[in-house]
Amino acid sequence: MVLPGLATLLNLRINLSVAIVAMTQVVNVTLSNGTVVEEQEFDWDIQQQGLLLSSFFYGYIATQVLGGFLAAKFGGHLIYGIGFGSTAVLTLITPPAAKAHIALLFIVRILQGLFGGLCYPSLQAIWANWAPIYERAFMGNIAYTGYYIGIIAAMLLSGLISEALGWEFIFYIFGTFGCLWYIGWIFMVRASPEVDPYITEAEKKYILASIGDRRQIKKISHPWKDIFSSSAVWAVLVASITAMWGSYTLMTQLPLFLNDTLNYNLGTTGVLAAIPYMAMVCVLFASGYLADWVQVKGYLKTNQVRRYFTCGSFIVQMIFMLLTAFTTTPILSVVYITLGVAANAFTWSGYGVCPLDMAPSHASIIYGLSNTFGTFSGIISPIVTGSIVTDHGPEQWRIIFYICAGIFLFGSIFSWFFLRGKLQPWAKIDIAIMEAKMNQKVEKNTSDSSSE
């Protein structure tokens, strides 16, 4: 349920980026008297379009921590469903809002961001109750492939839908699918294994043996001072800033560089533009499986996996960023971009899982904080590029790549020293759960020995 949900959620988030091209396109219309005139359904200028496209993030950045707090208090499955369902409904009313007034469309997009911002932190609260310790990376990576499948679907399908049925149906089709998915979510997903009527007894015992019985948590009190003073938490925040900065540069700014310096536009073909994300999906499956496998086999400890995968990914992305900056061959540029984007998959098995390792009961809060910081990074990165790249020359673009490479290097060094993949001393609720689980094992072993 999570994978197709994230794919749809991402599509609901970026569908305006595809639809706005058709909405503002100037077309020739032949009148009844034979006169040919130019018509444009929405005559928004470039500033208005930019404001509309960024409006989602104004709401999105505001509810990251709130989403984590609400998920920890009321249940991740409930908050995720509310955020997703509301975003889908708002998508359905986007076309009439656009036709009514640009201000109304702006408000709808902000509201989509507000509700959409609740979803990703809520996933951490869901996995805290469902993900066995040695399956967290693989489960998380399978779910997060939906993020990139959503990008691929938006690139490949939205244009076709617009051409065949009109731009409005981009919102109607995906909005309807989102509403249907939400109905399925309500009936199928539960807060934890203990209250799921569909889970088998064997599955329930397996999960509880790994994470402990979390029903004993009556009220979660978040240790805010400990969270904000924890170097391990700040390592997650720094890693998020690094990954998001690199993500925006690799996925958005490098195609502009190719267009400016090589007269090669990566976005001219939907299939070509989707190649890096297709590679990302493949690597996500492999990296998640690998991260859990080396722990199960005892080759690496959880702490080492999180640090190695995060730092290694940042270094590899830094290398491909610099290689792309100096290449003059379009084919090689696409190869380097694809490999750089694919390498980012390893961070999902690295710092992306650390909140669950450090403090499962507070994971949604930590993830909300990291996503907030990361979103700021995504907002600032295009501003920096626009300030430096004034004449679109290769020398100015190299400065952008040097900055990005420096951020990758700093993020890697900081993560190496401070990133942690183990339970933190201030996570008292989770420590109590682990101690109770160990006591149960000791009692069971003692009982078994006595009976013998």
Side-chain angles (χ1 to χ4, degrees), residues 182-190 197-198:
Y182 172 61
I183 294 173
W185 178 268
I186 293 175
F187 286 103
M188 295 180 64
V189 178
R190 297 293 182 269
Y198 306 110

Side-chain angles (χ1 to χ4, degrees), residues 348-398:
W348 291 107
S349 302
Y351 86 89
V353 192
C354 281
L356 286 171
D357 297 325
M358 296 189 301
S361 296
H362 314 296
S364 58
I365 293 291
I366 299 171
Y367 188 85
L369 286 169
S370 71
N371 224 18
T372 300
F373 277 70
T375 303
F376 272 121
S377 177
I379 293 173
I380 295 171
S381 175
I383 296 175
V384 171
T385 301
S387 300
I388 295 176
V389 182
T390 56
D391 62 9
H392 303 282
E395 293 79 12
Q396 292 179 340
W397 274 108
R398 287 191 181 114

Side-chain angles (χ1 to χ4, degrees), residues 78-157:
L78 178 62
I79 303 304
Y80 184 90
I82 292 173
F84 188 102
S86 301
T87 304
V89 171
L90 288 165
T91 299
L92 289 175
I93 66 174
T94 296
K99 294 177 180 180
H101 198 278
I102 186 174
L104 188 56
L105 176 59
F106 183 74
I107 293 172
V108 169
R109 289 293 293 176
I110 290 179
L111 290 174
Q112 281 185 309
L114 285 169
F115 284 106
L118 300 174
C119 295
Y120 284 95
S122 299
L123 286 177
Q124 298 292 316
I126 294 173
W127 286 325
N129 291 327
W130 279 95
I133 293 175
Y134 293 127
E135 295 183 18
R136 286 173 177 171
F138 188 59
M139 287 179 63
N141 281 17
I142 288 178
Y144 283 123
T145 56
Y147 181 95
Y148 300 98
I149 291 174
I151 297 177
I152 296 170
M155 290 180 176
L156 298 182
L157 299 179

Side-chain angles (χ1 to χ4, degrees), residues 284-304:
L284 269 171
F285 280 106
S287 64
Y289 177 81
L290 180 62
D292 292 331
W293 181 77
V294 294
Q295 293 177 78
V296 172
K297 291 294 185 180
Y299 299 138
L300 294 175
K301 296 181 179 179
T302 303
N303 206 45
Q304 293 173 313

Side-chain angles (χ1 to χ4, degrees), residues 34-114:
T35 305
V36 178
V37 297
E38 290 185 344
E39 287 188 359
Q40 185 180 20
E41 187 168 0
F42 300 97
D43 60 346
W44 301 326
D45 58 32
I46 191 66
Q47 287 79 20
Q48 290 174 313
Q49 293 181 45
L51 189 62
L52 286 172
L53 292 175
S54 63
S55 57
F56 178 93
F57 293 97
Y58 300 155
Y60 184 76
I61 200 171
T63 52
Q64 294 295 315
V65 177
L66 176 64
F69 176 79
L70 293 175
K73 185 176 181 62
F74 299 107
H77 70 300
L78 178 62
I79 303 304
Y80 184 90
I82 292 173
F84 188 102
S86 301
T87 304
V89 171
L90 288 165
T91 299
L92 289 175
I93 66 174
T94 296
K99 294 177 180 180
H101 198 278
I102 186 174
L104 188 56
L105 176 59
F106 183 74
I107 293 172
V108 169
R109 289 293 293 176
I110 290 179
L111 290 174
Q112 281 185 309
L114 285 169

Side-chain angles (χ1 to χ4, degrees), residues 236-249:
V236 173
L237 303 187
V238 170
S240 181
I241 293 172
T242 304
M244 289 295 289
W245 190 289
S247 177
Y248 273 79
T249 302

